[in-house]
Amino acid sequence: MMTVLITGASSGIGAGLAKSWADDGYRVIACGRDPARLAALQQHSPNISVCQFDMTDGEACRIALSDCRPDLAILCAGTCEYLDRGEVDAALVERVMRTNFLGPVNCLAALQAQLVRGSRVVLVSSMAHWLPFPRAEAYGASKAALSWFARSLRLDWEPKGIAVTTVSPGFVDTPLTRKNDFAMPGQVSVDSAVTAIRRGLAKGKDHIAFPVGFGLMMRLLAALPDVVQRTLLRRMVRP
């Protein structure tokens, strides 16, 4: 039976993926920080076991993930905080970077010796880093770092037969995005996100981006000259 390990499994996309794979008979190791949510998730299926730890703690990752041996590892946990009026908050930026970038790196360091030829690692990034959105300095930078890391790691792990996939979602209706106080065009449900990710992985894709229409629009905007991008994005700056 294939083993799927998922971080950030206590809510949102992670929880949706855990339930989906468990329903299909896979062994799922659901990882997260919230014991109550993990316990509720475990009740969904006997195929789900839970693992509680803080991925920003490297030693905690090493201990918790010491003998998981996943065939597929999906590093899905993430957070988002915004800077207001361009006021740089170093503590805020550190929190976001630790969760969105260093957390997955800690997990990879803990899991790498257990991965074998045919294993696949999935790093959930975001379309947000394709454009320099106002207020998104910390979030965009953390996802840009994660995507760059994944692209480089893919090359180094190819000779080992270990695949690396990056996922770039647009807006997905999760507890995290519900905190946003702005319009979220192209927003999709968790079920739609799960379908897109599983479909892309079934095809062995290196990069999965969804929804397709919104992703195409973002790609087109990202291809515009910087001066045009700035002109468009200035409209989003808050006084």
Side-chain angles (χ1 to χ4, degrees):
M1 180 187 298
M2 189 172 93
T3 298
V4 182
L5 181 142
I6 304 172
T7 66
S10 57
S11 67
I13 297 174
L17 288 169
K19 293 175 182 177
S20 177
W21 262 297
D23 288 345
D24 285 349
Y26 294 95
R27 175 176 177 249
V28 175
I29 303 174
C31 307
R33 292 186 301 178
D34 190 319
R37 289 182 178 179
L38 288 176
L41 179 63
Q42 191 171 23
Q43 295 301 310
H44 177 80
S45 169
N47 293 327
I48 297 177
S49 60
V50 299
C51 186
Q52 181 195 350
F53 65 96
D54 184 346
M55 64 190 292
T56 67
D57 183 333
E59 182 64 10
C61 285
R62 187 188 67 79
I63 294 171
L65 302 177
S66 61
D67 191 28
C68 294
R69 305 192 181 281
D71 300 288
L72 174 63
I74 304 178
L75 307 183
C76 193
T79 191
C80 182
E81 295 186 64
Y82 297 111
L83 298 184
D84 289 322
R85 298 177 299 280
E87 296 177 6
V88 178
D89 182 335
L92 180 155
V93 175
E94 181 179 359
R95 285 195 301 272
V96 174
M97 291 297 293
R98 285 181 65 192
T99 298
N100 291 356
F101 177 58
L102 295 178
V105 171
N106 286 337
C107 293
L108 288 171
L111 291 170
Q112 61 186 340
Q114 304 171 48
L115 301 175
V116 298
R117 186 169 295 275
S119 299
R120 181 177 293 273
V121 169
V122 180
L123 299 172
V124 179
S125 181
S126 170
M127 292 182 188
H129 77 274
W130 295 354
L131 288 165
F133 291 105
R135 302 177 67 219
E137 291 87 347
Y139 183 73
S142 69
K143 293 302 188 177
L146 185 65
S147 294
W148 187 278
F149 189 91
R151 290 171 61 194
S152 294
L153 188 65
R154 181 181 300 127
L155 294 172
D156 281 327
W157 278 7
E158 277 180 348
K160 303 178 182 180
I162 301 171
V164 177
T165 294
T166 308
V167 176
S168 298
F171 293 111
V172 180
D173 183 18
T174 67
L176 188 64
T177 58
R178 287 172 202 147
K179 298 177 182 178
N180 289 338
D181 57 357
F182 52 83
M184 293 177 281
Q187 187 180 62
V188 299
S189 67
V190 167
D191 286 345
S192 295
V194 168
T195 297
I197 292 170
R198 292 200 57 178
R199 183 179 294 143
L201 291 177
K203 295 178 180 179
K205 288 188 174 182
D206 290 336
H207 183 225
I208 301 166
F210 62 88
V212 175
F214 183 67
L216 178 60
M217 182 190 72
M218 290 283 286
R219 285 293 195 191
L220 290 173
L221 291 173
L224 293 173
D226 284 351
V227 64
V228 178
Q229 287 184 30
R230 287 198 300 272
T231 299
L232 295 172
L233 294 173
R234 280 192 189 104
R235 302 175 183 176
M236 301 175 64
V237 175
R238 298 184 177 183

